């Protein structure tokens, strides 16, 4: 769970997109509500909804690499489009890949891109949830990221 500046719990910055959601469709409002997020479904869709190229990428990635967990980033918080974590490694060795998907842009490292400015807060949320250790290795990617880029 994310925290506010004063340390109190706040609205989550990330929404886990589980593998089983692929079978019934990636309805982010339904996924969020199942996790206890009671915000208006239109707001949830606005913040966490996936465009067609993002939806395709998530489906292909999760189909190709079942050990990966994909989290959709809140699109109003400048922390990227997705965070991907390889859950096959022990927690202490897990690394995160923050992805800002773009069409017609080659993949490149993008640690200082404005749309990734707050990615550290999103990663801290994963640490607070116990998914990764605090300050895990993070790679930031910008562009047309192919499944093969993250699969190795």
């Amino acid at each position: 769970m994310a925290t506010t500046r004063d340390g109190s719990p706040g609205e989550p910055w990330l929404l886990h997109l589980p593998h089983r959601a692929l079978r019934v469709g990636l309805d982010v409002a339904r996924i969020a509500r199942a996790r206890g997020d009671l915000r208006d479904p239109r707001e949830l869709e606005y913040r966490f909804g996936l465009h067609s190229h993002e939806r395709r990428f998530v489906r292909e990635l999760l189909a190709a690499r079942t050990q990966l967990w994909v989290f959709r980033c809140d699109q109003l918080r400048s922390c990227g489009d997705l965070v991907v974590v390889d859950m096959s490694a022990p927690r202490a060795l897990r690394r995160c890949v923050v992805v800002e998907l773009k069409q017609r842009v080659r993949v490149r490292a993008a640690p200082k891109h404005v749309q990734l400015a707050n990615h550290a807060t999103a990663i801290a949320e994963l640490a607070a949830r116990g998914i990764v250790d605090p300050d895990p290795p993070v790679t930031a990617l910008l562009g047309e990221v192919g499944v093969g880029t993250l699969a190795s």
Side-chain angles (χ1 to χ4, degrees):
M1 182 68 63
T3 57
T4 60
R5 286 187 179 162
D6 66 1
S8 61
E11 294 174 342
W13 285 45
L14 299 169
L15 177 65
H16 179 221
L17 302 176
H19 289 264
R20 69 181 174 278
L22 295 175
R23 291 189 293 272
V24 295
L26 290 169
D27 180 345
V28 297
R30 193 168 94 211
I31 294 167
R33 292 184 69 79
R35 287 174 165 54
D37 194 327
L38 301 178
R39 287 181 276 181
D40 183 297
R42 290 172 297 188
E43 179 184 354
L44 291 168
E45 185 63 37
Y46 181 68
R47 287 179 173 269
F48 295 103
L50 295 158
H51 296 286
S52 61
H53 69 285
E54 296 166 332
R55 186 177 302 273
R56 186 172 44 256
F57 175 78
V58 170
R59 280 193 176 120
E60 289 175 8
L61 183 62
L62 291 178
R65 300 293 184 214
T66 59
Q67 79 275 18
L68 299 179
W69 280 15
V70 177
F71 297 85
R72 176 62 163 168
C73 300
D74 185 327
Q75 295 302 284
L76 300 182
R77 295 206 168 140
S78 298
C79 55
D81 286 327
L82 304 166
V83 176
V84 180
V85 179
D86 184 345
M87 297 300 286
S88 65
R91 188 174 71 179
L93 299 176
R94 290 179 189 155
R95 60 188 179 96
C96 300
V97 178
V98 179
V99 180
E100 178 64 30
L101 291 171
K102 298 289 181 198
Q103 294 178 323
R104 296 180 302 263
V105 178
R106 287 188 178 157
V107 175
R108 62 180 170 96
K112 296 187 189 225
H113 192 275
V114 69
Q115 289 175 303
L116 298 171
N118 298 320
H119 76 276
T121 303
I123 300 302
E125 182 176 315
L126 289 178
R129 293 183 189 181
I131 295 167
V132 296
D133 274 354
D135 299 318
V138 177
T139 302
L141 299 176
L142 170 74
E144 282 187 283
V145 179
V147 171
T149 306
L150 297 176
S152 51

